[in-house]
Amino acid sequence: MPARTLVIGLSPDQMDHGDALHVSQTYDFMSFDDLSCGVDLTAQVISPLMADRFDAGDVATALRQRGYKGELIVMTPPLPRPDMVQRELAQMAPDMSIRLVRDTVH
Protein backbone atom coordinates (compact mmCIF):
# COMPACT_ATOMS: atom_id res chain seq x y z
CA MET A 1 0.00 0.00 0.00
CA PRO A 2 1.43 3.40 -0.96
CA ALA A 3 2.50 5.76 1.77
CA ARG A 4 0.76 8.67 0.06
CA THR A 5 -2.13 9.17 -2.31
CA LEU A 6 -2.21 12.10 -4.72
CA VAL A 7 -5.77 13.29 -5.38
CA ILE A 8 -6.20 15.41 -8.50
CA GLY A 9 -9.22 17.63 -8.99
CA LEU A 10 -11.28 16.39 -6.03
CA SER A 11 -11.80 18.00 -2.65
CA PRO A 12 -11.71 16.04 0.61
CA ASP A 13 -15.53 16.04 0.82
CA GLN A 14 -15.73 14.47 -2.65
CA MET A 15 -13.62 11.47 -1.69
CA ASP A 16 -15.17 8.03 -1.29
CA HIS A 17 -14.08 6.78 2.12
CA GLY A 18 -15.99 3.49 1.87
CA ASP A 19 -14.71 0.01 1.20
CA ALA A 20 -14.34 0.65 -2.53
CA LEU A 21 -10.98 2.35 -2.00
CA HIS A 22 -8.28 0.74 0.04
CA VAL A 23 -5.76 3.55 -0.10
CA SER A 24 -3.39 5.19 2.30
CA GLN A 25 -4.56 7.56 4.97
CA THR A 26 -2.31 10.36 3.71
CA TYR A 27 -3.89 12.35 0.89
CA ASP A 28 -2.27 15.21 -0.99
CA PHE A 29 -4.83 17.26 -2.92
CA MET A 30 -3.94 19.25 -6.02
CA SER A 31 -5.64 20.77 -9.02
CA PHE A 32 -5.06 19.45 -12.52
CA ASP A 33 -3.19 22.68 -13.35
CA ASP A 34 -0.77 22.02 -10.48
CA LEU A 35 0.07 18.63 -11.99
CA SER A 36 2.27 20.39 -14.56
CA CYS A 37 4.37 21.81 -11.69
CA GLY A 38 5.49 18.38 -10.57
CA VAL A 39 4.23 15.29 -8.86
CA ASP A 40 5.66 12.70 -6.50
CA LEU A 41 5.86 9.78 -8.90
CA THR A 42 5.78 7.27 -6.04
CA ALA A 43 2.30 8.28 -4.96
CA GLN A 44 -0.88 6.47 -5.90
CA VAL A 45 -3.13 8.83 -7.91
CA ILE A 46 -6.91 9.34 -7.75
CA SER A 47 -8.80 11.37 -10.33
CA PRO A 48 -12.42 11.89 -11.35
CA LEU A 49 -13.46 10.50 -14.71
CA MET A 50 -14.77 13.92 -15.77
CA ALA A 51 -14.25 17.39 -14.30
CA ASP A 52 -15.02 20.88 -15.55
CA ARG A 53 -11.62 21.47 -17.16
CA PHE A 54 -10.09 18.00 -17.59
CA ASP A 55 -10.85 14.31 -17.67
CA ALA A 56 -9.09 11.12 -16.63
CA GLY A 57 -7.52 10.84 -20.09
CA ASP A 58 -5.84 14.21 -19.57
CA VAL A 59 -4.56 13.06 -16.18
CA ALA A 60 -3.29 9.75 -17.59
CA THR A 61 -1.50 11.57 -20.41
CA ALA A 62 0.10 14.13 -18.07
CA LEU A 63 1.25 11.40 -15.69
CA ARG A 64 2.62 9.26 -18.54
CA GLN A 65 4.61 12.25 -19.84
CA ARG A 66 6.18 12.52 -16.38
CA GLY A 67 7.15 8.85 -16.38
CA TYR A 68 4.56 7.71 -13.83
CA LYS A 69 4.07 3.93 -13.80
CA GLY A 70 1.98 3.45 -10.67
CA GLU A 71 -1.74 3.08 -10.09
CA LEU A 72 -4.33 5.56 -11.36
CA ILE A 73 -7.71 5.17 -9.65
CA VAL A 74 -10.52 6.83 -11.57
CA MET A 75 -13.69 7.74 -9.68
CA THR A 76 -16.67 7.20 -11.99
CA PRO A 77 -20.42 7.61 -11.96
CA PRO A 78 -22.38 4.50 -12.96
CA LEU A 79 -21.26 3.65 -16.50
CA PRO A 80 -23.06 1.52 -19.08
CA ARG A 81 -19.76 0.13 -20.45
CA PRO A 82 -16.94 0.59 -17.92
CA ASP A 83 -14.84 -1.94 -19.85
CA MET A 84 -14.70 0.47 -22.80
CA VAL A 85 -13.51 3.32 -20.57
CA GLN A 86 -10.94 1.02 -18.95
CA ARG A 87 -9.55 -0.03 -22.35
CA GLU A 88 -9.36 3.55 -23.63
CA LEU A 89 -7.46 4.75 -20.56
CA ALA A 90 -5.15 1.72 -20.68
CA GLN A 91 -4.30 2.56 -24.30
CA MET A 92 -3.44 6.12 -23.27
CA ALA A 93 -1.21 4.97 -20.41
CA PRO A 94 -0.06 1.39 -21.01
CA ASP A 95 2.55 1.45 -18.23
CA MET A 96 0.04 2.38 -15.54
CA SER A 97 -2.34 0.22 -13.59
CA ILE A 98 -5.76 1.81 -14.13
CA ARG A 99 -8.66 0.98 -11.84
CA LEU A 100 -12.19 2.34 -12.15
CA VAL A 101 -14.03 2.79 -8.87
CA ARG A 102 -17.68 3.80 -8.69
CA ASP A 103 -18.10 7.06 -6.82
CA THR A 104 -20.56 6.41 -4.02
CA VAL A 105 -20.43 9.93 -2.55
CA HIS A 106 -22.64 11.60 -5.17
Side-chain angles (χ1 to χ4, degrees), residues 5-54:
T5 298
L6 179 63
V7 182
I8 299 172
L10 294 169
S11 64
D13 61 326
Q14 292 174 303
M15 289 295 299
D16 179 339
H17 294 288
D19 293 335
L21 289 178
H22 299 284
V23 295
S24 69
Q25 295 179 347
T26 303
Y27 298 100
D28 293 320
F29 293 87
M30 72 173 12
S31 71
F32 177 73
D33 294 334
D34 291 338
L35 185 57
S36 64
C37 299
V39 60
D40 177 356
L41 297 179
T42 63
Q44 180 181 48
V45 179
I46 297 175
S47 168
L49 179 63
M50 300 289 292
D52 289 340
R53 297 182 54 221
F54 69 94

Side-chain angles (χ1 to χ4, degrees), residues 10-16 75-78 102-106:
L10 294 169
S11 64
D13 61 326
Q14 292 174 303
M15 289 295 299
D16 179 339
M75 303 298 294
T76 71
R102 185 166 171 199
D103 182 356
T104 61
V105 173
H106 299 98

Side-chain angles (χ1 to χ4, degrees), residues 34-97:
D34 291 338
L35 185 57
S36 64
C37 299
V39 60
D40 177 356
L41 297 179
T42 63
Q44 180 181 48
V45 179
I46 297 175
S47 168
L49 179 63
M50 300 289 292
D52 289 340
R53 297 182 54 221
F54 69 94
D55 64 29
D58 298 325
V59 172
T61 299
L63 290 171
R64 181 182 46 83
Q65 290 171 345
R66 295 194 137 15
Y68 180 71
K69 296 183 182 191
E71 183 176 30
L72 173 60
I73 297 172
V74 179
M75 303 298 294
T76 71
L79 298 172
R81 296 285 312 268
D83 55 320
M84 289 178 61
V85 174
Q86 179 89 28
R87 278 195 304 274
E88 183 177 332
L89 290 172
Q91 288 174 348
M92 296 171 110
D95 293 333
M96 278 181 240
S97 169

